[in-house]
Structures are given as structure tokens and as C-alpha cells.
Amino acid sequence: MNDDPAQRHSAFRFHGNWQEFARIAFPNLLLTIVTLGIYRFWATTREREYLWSKTDFIDERLEWTGRGIELFIGFIMVFLLIGLPIIVIQFISQGLIFRGQTAVAGIVTIAMFVLLFYLSGVAYFRALRYRLSRTYWRGIRGGSNNPGFGYGLSYMWKNFVGVLPIFLLVPWSMISLWNERWNSMSFGPHSFESTARWQPLMKRYLLFYLVPFLLFFGAITLAVAAATSGADIGALGGAGMAVGGILVVIAILGLYIILPLAALAYYSKYFRIAVGGLRLHNLEFEFRARAPNWILFFLANMAIVICTLGIGYIFMPYRNWKFFIDHLEAYGEINIDELTQSETVVSKHGEGLLDAFDVGAI
Amino acid sequence: METFFNVWHYDGRSAVRRKVEIQTIGRQFFLLENERRHGPFAFSDVEYVTRKEDVDVYGLTDVDGWRLMLSGPVPDELSELLPVQRKYGGWVDRLGLGKATIAFTLASAAAVAIVLLSPQWLAPLIPDSIDRQLGDALVGDFGGRFCSTPAGDAALKKLVNSLDRNPQDLQVEVAKIDMINAVALPGGKVILFDGLVKQARSPDEVAGVLAHEIGHVREKHVMQALLRQMGLAVVLGGVDGNSGALVNNMLAMSYSRESEAEADAHSMKALGTANISPVGTASFFDRLSELDGSARDGDNGQGIAGYMSSHPLSRARKQAFEKSIVKGRNYKPALTPTEWTELKTMCTQDRKAKSGFGFEFE
């Protein structure tokens, strides 16, 4: 049995609608409030069950089999293994400061932050692993046998190297980490291969990187020019100064509008290149959202949240998933007979680490 | 048993989709696929997985990816043998959304109430030795910032003795830090900052503040606050970062206001017993109120700021201390002029004590 997704409109399709999602999201919100937040693990699970079950890949829906209790256990583990030690360390370092041992306190605090940074790398990895291992398609799931501790080290040194040359190698570290993460993952019997290249990202990155400088120096030059030309004429000196001031204001506003736009433009290219470098056996992937799609997506999200006085926030998981699936595409062939069950280990705890550090999986 | 609804099956080993019919034999069943027969499987091993559109999906314990997917009208004989569906999660499904909401609300309220109220009873149960160890661990020698001269120490001791009946449990020190502040810490430690002593216009002012801090010690406020914070951190740990911290701070603040009022009451009583006039303390708060702006705001400002801040507004405290003045009573100054000078200049005289701070106190 062979399916050729190229013949179809799109290999991935999303059939959900927000009214149905609302019937899940509002009770979730209510239960989350009355349980002082504890229900949110079950809430996340219900939302994913819905989103996955409304997502077609070729001819069968996806299935989310993660459980709320797994996320809850993950959270408890983080609280005991990381939360409590941090409180103790803070207490100790406060005591050290009281005693005038500021240097020792500083070292303890820095060591704590390094450890947290390492763990957040591990968390990224494990979240992706967890999500793949709980995602089923035709009774087959994904996963990884790598626990992600080595990835945590890569995460530390690659980010460090990326930032070191005045942040210029950030695209390299992002793509390199993406490849490393996905190369450890598999679905069914097949490993993912990720060979995204970072070089094509540099132009966009430099655009984003240089925006603040260009805006800043452009505004200064204009302002100085306007102010001095105003001064030359003498009588119009005050007006020239005013024009200069207005230009500075415009530049500052520009920084708040143009900089996020440049960041989105970069991110859209990053995501396109990263997903485009991904392969699963004979399947290739593509992410078709371009910068304008991302910008509209974010503006709409902001409008929804603001116009509903924040309540619209509960629809963000729905919007994110819909955006992701609507723009995701796969090409190639799947041999259904060859697609056998994954033999990767299944961990019993969820994204506790990830929850604690508040980062996204993809 | 013949079926007229649709049943699909994945065996979990490969992604091949099988159209099957269910043949029920007692508590077991076979899945019939053309010529092949899968099974037998026990109904007791079947578990509910999820619902995809109009399809109910069941799995089998210990067989990864095994799926039985039913659509259309499921015969009653069969549905009785299948596990019940899950919607919100075990407890909520059993109780129903409404009842579960009420139950969770009550449980949450009880948990918060216990955490907020129990420290008042728990704090006195904590042995003094633990309290003292905690204080020593936290403060130590305060980085060598405590000032000491024979005459200054004697003056401070006289002040403490006049304000408390069991001065041997207290460790009162003056620290060479130029801030108008004083703190009570675990283990009966009270630290007066030199800035406060220097700006005081009479020993009576210092006595009032000192008695206030001794009040915190005697009422076990520090241990209470520690226990309460720990409890709130656990109970509100499930709430998302920002809102949790906000609620936590609001609660901590209102309790802290209550503690401050108690400590003030203790101070007025101690001053009365020691026959020291509260006039000095009132004028101290009068000067403070000019610093914190409550003197200017008038009564309108007091409502909001007084409720939100941890300390009652200085103006209100000044009024309370003024009210406690007994007219016609023959108050004695807390220290003789010589003693007062020695206390005031203690930190200037003690050249060994280190100065400065580099950290902030409440």
C-alpha cells in the first residue's frame, strides 16, 4: 500500500475549528483556576488530544497519547530536583553575602546559572523526544534512545560560541543545534536526518543584526544635520532642533516596530531552512510560511489577546498548531509495510523540565 | 457476532490498516480480517485512548500502538464490554464538571487557609535551637560590620534590658551601615543600622524602634513568615510564574502589615513598661512620613498606599504612637546624655568594624 502525497493537495491538513476548541479551553481555564494551576497539565493534554486528532497526515489522523499525570510527575520532579536546591542555594548565598563572602556567593550563583542553562538544553531535547514518543500515526510512534544529557553540553558550548564573536554566529548555533536534536530522533524504524545549512541564513540575520545600528546612526545623522542646518539659518534654529527631536522620536518608535519585524523575518527564514533540511527515510519536509505570513500571524495573535482583554490567550495553542500544520508540507513516499513500530524507550514523565524553563519544543 | 458498524485495526507492529470485524467470545474477542484471525484479546486489557472526530480509539495494555477504532453505532452488547471514555481526567469525569469545580475550589481554599494560618501555631513549636542555628547560618558575624565599644555596648545593653524581660535570648547589634533601617532575624537577632541611630534625635526614638524589632522576635514573626513563604511556594507552585508571584506577594504583604501592627503594639507596651515616652518614636515616624510621602498625600492616598505596602504608613503609625502617650506621666529618658552619645558614636569610634553594604534589606 503506497501513498503518494505529491498527488494530494497537502500531506498535512488541519480540520479543527475554534468553536470546538473553545469547548475544551474554557472548562480547562476554569479547572486550572480552581485547582490553583495544578489542572494545567491535564488541560494541556486535552488540548493536544484535540489538536492532534484534528490533524490529518495523508489519510489518517494523528493521535496524542500523552497523559496529564506524566506532565504532572515531570513538574514534581523538577520541583524536587531543581526548585528546592535553588531555594537552598539562594539561602546559602544570602548567608554568604551577610558574612561578607561576596566572591564565594557570586561563584555559587554563577555555578547555579550555568547548571540551569545546561538543564534548559537538556529540557529542549527531552521535550521533543517526549512529544514524538506520544505522537502516533497508524499505530506507529516516534522517539529517541538518547537521554539528551550530551545535547545539554552541546547546547552550552554551541550557544557560547555563537554569542562569542559579538553574536555573529547565532545562526550557526541555532541550525547546528536543530540538526543535532533531530538527528537523534526517529519515527517508527526510520531515523530523522537533519542537514540544514546555516550559511543561507546569514543575510537575514545581518539584516536583523544591523537594524538597531542603522536606525540609530541614521537618526543621529539626520538629527544633527537638521539641527545644524536650522542653526545656520539662524531664525529657524529652534525649528531645526524640533525637527531633529522628532526624527529621534521616529527612530525610537522604528526600533520598536522595525526590530521585531526584522526578528520575525529572520525567524521565518530560520524555520523554513531548518524544516527544509529535515528528512525521514523517503520523506522530505517543507515549511511554507514566509515572513509576511508570520507577521500577520503575530499581529492577529496580538489583536485577539488585546481585544478579548487577555482571555484570547487560551486560544494561542490552537492558533500556533493551526499555523504550524497549515504551512507544513511533506513530499516523497511512505512504504506502509516498512513502517514498523519504534523500538525507542518510552519515558514515563513528561516535559517537566521544559515546563519549568518555559520554552517551546520546536 | 456480525457487525454493521465500521471497525479498523492497527496491530502496533506495522502501519498497515486492517478492516476487521469483532468476534466476541465471553470476556474475550477476536478480530477477523478476511482470511486472518487476530487474537484472542481480553476486554479487560482494552483501554480508552482518544476520540478522533466520530471515531473512538481503544488501545491494548502492554501492546504499543495496538489500536481498535470504532465508528458508527456501536452495539450495546459491545459497548458494555468496552472501557468508559475519558474527557477531563479521572476525578473530574467521575464527579462531573460542576461538582468537581466546587470540590477543587473548596480544596484549594482549604490548602491556602492552612498555609496562611498554620504558621501562627507552627512557629512557636519550632525549637529555639533550630531558630538560633538558622540565625547563625544566615548572619554569622555579619561580615565584621558589627560595631563595638565598651561604653556603647553597655548603653545598648541597658536599653535592651529596659525593654525586655528576657534579654539573654536576644542578640542586639549595631551595624556600620548608613541606612535608616533595623531588622529582626531568626534566633532573636536584632540589627540596628548605624544610619538609624545617627539620625535619631533622642534615645527614646531608638528605644521605640528597638522595641518594635524585639516585638517581631517575641511574636515569632520571622519564623512565621519563613514557614508561610515556604507553604505558599508549594501551594502556588502550580500557578504560572507571574500570577503566582503576584498573589504570593499580595498575601505576604498583608500578613507583613499585620505583623508590623503587632510589633508596633508590642513596642508601645514595652515603652510603657520601661516608662519611656513614645513621643520620640512618634516624631521619628513623622520625619519618615515626609520621606515616604504619606504626609503630603492626605487621607485619599492613604487608603491605597496603606493597603498595598508592607509597612503601615508612617503617618498612621505616628498617630498610633501619639495616642499611646499618657498625659501627665513622668517619663524618663531611655538613656543618660553620656550613654546616648556613646551609642551614637559607637560605630565612628570602632575603627575595626567594616562599613558599607552591597546588598539590600527590606
PDB file of all heavy atoms in Angstrom, chain B residues 52-68:
ATOM      1  N   LYS B  52     -11.257  10.508  17.857  1.00  0.00           N
ATOM      2  CA  LYS B  52     -10.896  11.295  16.681  1.00  0.00           C
ATOM      3  C   LYS B  52     -12.158  11.509  15.875  1.00  0.00           C
ATOM      4  O   LYS B  52     -12.688  10.555  15.301  1.00  0.00           O
ATOM      5  CB  LYS B  52      -9.904  10.529  15.802  1.00  0.00           C
ATOM      6  CG  LYS B  52      -8.575  10.201  16.432  1.00  0.00           C
ATOM      7  CD  LYS B  52      -7.651   9.699  15.333  1.00  0.00           C
ATOM      8  CE  LYS B  52      -6.690   8.646  15.840  1.00  0.00           C
ATOM      9  NZ  LYS B  52      -5.903   8.061  14.750  1.00  0.00           N
ATOM     10  N   GLU B  53     -12.622  12.729  15.833  1.00  0.00           N
ATOM     11  CA  GLU B  53     -13.864  13.046  15.125  1.00  0.00           C
ATOM     12  C   GLU B  53     -14.976  12.123  15.637  1.00  0.00           C
ATOM     13  O   GLU B  53     -15.318  12.188  16.800  1.00  0.00           O
ATOM     14  CB  GLU B  53     -13.660  12.874  13.622  1.00  0.00           C
ATOM     15  CG  GLU B  53     -14.658  13.653  12.804  1.00  0.00           C
ATOM     16  CD  GLU B  53     -14.167  15.084  12.550  1.00  0.00           C
ATOM     17  OE1 GLU B  53     -13.208  15.509  13.223  1.00  0.00           O
ATOM     18  OE2 GLU B  53     -14.738  15.746  11.698  1.00  0.00           O
ATOM     19  N   ASP B  54     -15.516  11.233  14.785  1.00  0.00           N
ATOM     20  CA  ASP B  54     -16.587  10.352  15.249  1.00  0.00           C
ATOM     21  C   ASP B  54     -16.062   8.939  15.496  1.00  0.00           C
ATOM     22  O   ASP B  54     -16.817   7.983  15.502  1.00  0.00           O
ATOM     23  CB  ASP B  54     -17.714  10.322  14.209  1.00  0.00           C
ATOM     24  CG  ASP B  54     -17.198  10.015  12.819  1.00  0.00           C
ATOM     25  OD1 ASP B  54     -15.958   9.978  12.655  1.00  0.00           O
ATOM     26  OD2 ASP B  54     -18.009   9.803  11.907  1.00  0.00           O
ATOM     27  N   VAL B  55     -14.746   8.830  15.667  1.00  0.00           N
ATOM     28  CA  VAL B  55     -14.144   7.509  15.848  1.00  0.00           C
ATOM     29  C   VAL B  55     -13.616   7.390  17.273  1.00  0.00           C
ATOM     30  O   VAL B  55     -12.868   8.246  17.727  1.00  0.00           O
ATOM     31  CB  VAL B  55     -12.974   7.305  14.849  1.00  0.00           C
ATOM     32  CG1 VAL B  55     -12.369   5.924  15.025  1.00  0.00           C
ATOM     33  CG2 VAL B  55     -13.454   7.509  13.428  1.00  0.00           C
ATOM     34  N   ASP B  56     -14.041   6.336  17.974  1.00  0.00           N
ATOM     35  CA  ASP B  56     -13.472   6.073  19.297  1.00  0.00           C
ATOM     36  C   ASP B  56     -12.283   5.149  19.145  1.00  0.00           C
ATOM     37  O   ASP B  56     -12.367   4.131  18.455  1.00  0.00           O
ATOM     38  CB  ASP B  56     -14.525   5.426  20.204  1.00  0.00           C
ATOM     39  CG  ASP B  56     -15.505   6.460  20.709  1.00  0.00           C
ATOM     40  OD1 ASP B  56     -15.047   7.528  21.139  1.00  0.00           O
ATOM     41  OD2 ASP B  56     -16.724   6.213  20.640  1.00  0.00           O
ATOM     42  N   VAL B  57     -11.180   5.530  19.785  1.00  0.00           N
ATOM     43  CA  VAL B  57      -9.949   4.774  19.630  1.00  0.00           C
ATOM     44  C   VAL B  57      -9.613   4.071  20.945  1.00  0.00           C
ATOM     45  O   VAL B  57      -9.597   4.694  21.997  1.00  0.00           O
ATOM     46  CB  VAL B  57      -8.771   5.703  19.233  1.00  0.00           C
ATOM     47  CG1 VAL B  57      -7.509   4.896  18.988  1.00  0.00           C
ATOM     48  CG2 VAL B  57      -9.129   6.505  18.003  1.00  0.00           C
ATOM     49  N   TYR B  58      -9.400   2.749  20.842  1.00  0.00           N
ATOM     50  CA  TYR B  58      -9.022   1.969  22.019  1.00  0.00           C
ATOM     51  C   TYR B  58      -7.653   1.363  21.809  1.00  0.00           C
ATOM     52  O   TYR B  58      -7.241   1.077  20.689  1.00  0.00           O
ATOM     53  CB  TYR B  58     -10.048   0.857  22.263  1.00  0.00           C
ATOM     54  CG  TYR B  58     -11.419   1.397  22.599  1.00  0.00           C
ATOM     55  CD1 TYR B  58     -12.352   1.653  21.593  1.00  0.00           C
ATOM     56  CD2 TYR B  58     -11.758   1.678  23.914  1.00  0.00           C
ATOM     57  CE1 TYR B  58     -13.604   2.166  21.888  1.00  0.00           C
ATOM     58  CE2 TYR B  58     -13.016   2.195  24.221  1.00  0.00           C
ATOM     59  CZ  TYR B  58     -13.931   2.435  23.198  1.00  0.00           C
ATOM     60  OH  TYR B  58     -15.150   2.963  23.513  1.00  0.00           O
ATOM     61  N   GLY B  59      -6.928   1.166  22.899  1.00  0.00           N
ATOM     62  CA  GLY B  59      -5.626   0.508  22.845  1.00  0.00           C
ATOM     63  C   GLY B  59      -5.666  -0.772  23.660  1.00  0.00           C
ATOM     64  O   GLY B  59      -6.707  -1.137  24.221  1.00  0.00           O
ATOM     65  N   LEU B  60      -4.526  -1.453  23.716  1.00  0.00           N
ATOM     66  CA  LEU B  60      -4.441  -2.694  24.469  1.00  0.00           C
ATOM     67  C   LEU B  60      -3.249  -2.589  25.411  1.00  0.00           C
ATOM     68  O   LEU B  60      -2.148  -2.214  24.996  1.00  0.00           O
ATOM     69  CB  LEU B  60      -4.242  -3.869  23.508  1.00  0.00           C
ATOM     70  CG  LEU B  60      -4.543  -5.257  24.069  1.00  0.00           C
ATOM     71  CD1 LEU B  60      -6.027  -5.420  24.339  1.00  0.00           C
ATOM     72  CD2 LEU B  60      -4.072  -6.334  23.091  1.00  0.00           C
ATOM     73  N   THR B  61      -3.467  -2.888  26.698  1.00  0.00           N
ATOM     74  CA  THR B  61      -2.392  -2.801  27.684  1.00  0.00           C
ATOM     75  C   THR B  61      -1.160  -3.547  27.200  1.00  0.00           C
ATOM     76  O   THR B  61      -1.270  -4.682  26.736  1.00  0.00           O
ATOM     77  CB  THR B  61      -2.856  -3.424  29.021  1.00  0.00           C
ATOM     78  OG1 THR B  61      -4.126  -2.889  29.331  1.00  0.00           O
ATOM     79  CG2 THR B  61      -1.870  -3.103  30.137  1.00  0.00           C
ATOM     80  N   ASP B  62      -0.031  -2.909  27.309  1.00  0.00           N
ATOM     81  CA  ASP B  62       1.262  -3.542  27.019  1.00  0.00           C
ATOM     82  C   ASP B  62       1.515  -3.842  25.552  1.00  0.00           C
ATOM     83  O   ASP B  62       2.519  -4.458  25.224  1.00  0.00           O
ATOM     84  CB  ASP B  62       1.463  -4.836  27.838  1.00  0.00           C
ATOM     85  CG  ASP B  62       1.544  -4.532  29.329  1.00  0.00           C
ATOM     86  OD1 ASP B  62       2.001  -3.417  29.652  1.00  0.00           O
ATOM     87  OD2 ASP B  62       1.149  -5.386  30.133  1.00  0.00           O
ATOM     88  N   VAL B  63       0.614  -3.480  24.649  1.00  0.00           N
ATOM     89  CA  VAL B  63       0.937  -3.640  23.230  1.00  0.00           C
ATOM     90  C   VAL B  63       0.990  -2.248  22.620  1.00  0.00           C
ATOM     91  O   VAL B  63      -0.036  -1.623  22.362  1.00  0.00           O
ATOM     92  CB  VAL B  63      -0.082  -4.529  22.483  1.00  0.00           C
ATOM     93  CG1 VAL B  63       0.369  -4.724  21.041  1.00  0.00           C
ATOM     94  CG2 VAL B  63      -0.213  -5.863  23.182  1.00  0.00           C
ATOM     95  N   ASP B  64       2.222  -1.753  22.428  1.00  0.00           N
ATOM     96  CA  ASP B  64       2.442  -0.397  21.951  1.00  0.00           C
ATOM     97  C   ASP B  64       1.825  -0.209  20.569  1.00  0.00           C
ATOM     98  O   ASP B  64       2.154  -0.942  19.640  1.00  0.00           O
ATOM     99  CB  ASP B  64       3.960  -0.171  21.899  1.00  0.00           C
ATOM    100  CG  ASP B  64       4.298   1.294  21.767  1.00  0.00           C
ATOM    101  OD1 ASP B  64       3.382   2.122  21.903  1.00  0.00           O
ATOM    102  OD2 ASP B  64       5.479   1.607  21.526  1.00  0.00           O
ATOM    103  N   GLY B  65       0.953   0.745  20.434  1.00  0.00           N
ATOM    104  CA  GLY B  65       0.422   1.094  19.120  1.00  0.00           C
ATOM    105  C   GLY B  65      -0.752   0.239  18.667  1.00  0.00           C
ATOM    106  O   GLY B  65      -1.345   0.512  17.625  1.00  0.00           O
ATOM    107  N   TRP B  66      -1.124  -0.770  19.413  1.00  0.00           N
ATOM    108  CA  TRP B  66      -2.301  -1.589  19.062  1.00  0.00           C
ATOM    109  C   TRP B  66      -3.542  -0.701  19.145  1.00  0.00           C
ATOM    110  O   TRP B  66      -3.730   0.010  20.122  1.00  0.00           O
ATOM    111  CB  TRP B  66      -2.405  -2.747  20.053  1.00  0.00           C
ATOM    112  CG  TRP B  66      -3.448  -3.777  19.754  1.00  0.00           C
ATOM    113  CD1 TRP B  66      -3.247  -4.969  19.148  1.00  0.00           C
ATOM    114  CD2 TRP B  66      -4.843  -3.734  20.094  1.00  0.00           C
ATOM    115  NE1 TRP B  66      -4.405  -5.688  19.073  1.00  0.00           N
ATOM    116  CE2 TRP B  66      -5.419  -4.932  19.644  1.00  0.00           C
ATOM    117  CE3 TRP B  66      -5.669  -2.802  20.714  1.00  0.00           C
ATOM    118  CZ2 TRP B  66      -6.771  -5.229  19.809  1.00  0.00           C
ATOM    119  CZ3 TRP B  66      -7.010  -3.083  20.872  1.00  0.00           C
ATOM    120  CH2 TRP B  66      -7.558  -4.283  20.414  1.00  0.00           C
ATOM    121  N   ARG B  67      -4.323  -0.713  18.085  1.00  0.00           N
ATOM    122  CA  ARG B  67      -5.477   0.178  18.075  1.00  0.00           C
ATOM    123  C   ARG B  67      -6.717  -0.526  17.547  1.00  0.00           C
ATOM    124  O   ARG B  67      -6.637  -1.298  16.587  1.00  0.00           O
ATOM    125  CB  ARG B  67      -5.217   1.394  17.185  1.00  0.00           C
ATOM    126  CG  ARG B  67      -4.177   2.357  17.708  1.00  0.00           C
ATOM    127  CD  ARG B  67      -4.657   3.072  18.952  1.00  0.00           C
ATOM    128  NE  ARG B  67      -3.671   4.021  19.446  1.00  0.00           N
ATOM    129  CZ  ARG B  67      -2.761   3.722  20.372  1.00  0.00           C
ATOM    130  NH1 ARG B  67      -2.716   2.503  20.883  1.00  0.00           N
ATOM    131  NH2 ARG B  67      -1.902   4.630  20.776  1.00  0.00           N
ATOM    132  N   LEU B  68      -7.816  -0.224  18.191  1.00  0.00           N
ATOM    133  CA  LEU B  68      -9.119  -0.662  17.717  1.00  0.00           C
ATOM    134  C   LEU B  68      -9.938   0.606  17.548  1.00  0.00           C
ATOM    135  O   LEU B  68     -10.091   1.373  18.485  1.00  0.00           O
ATOM    136  CB  LEU B  68      -9.761  -1.588  18.766  1.00  0.00           C
ATOM    137  CG  LEU B  68     -11.031  -2.314  18.350  1.00  0.00           C
ATOM    138  CD1 LEU B  68     -10.746  -3.255  17.194  1.00  0.00           C
ATOM    139  CD2 LEU B  68     -11.590  -3.088  19.523  1.00  0.00           C
TER     140      LEU B  68
END
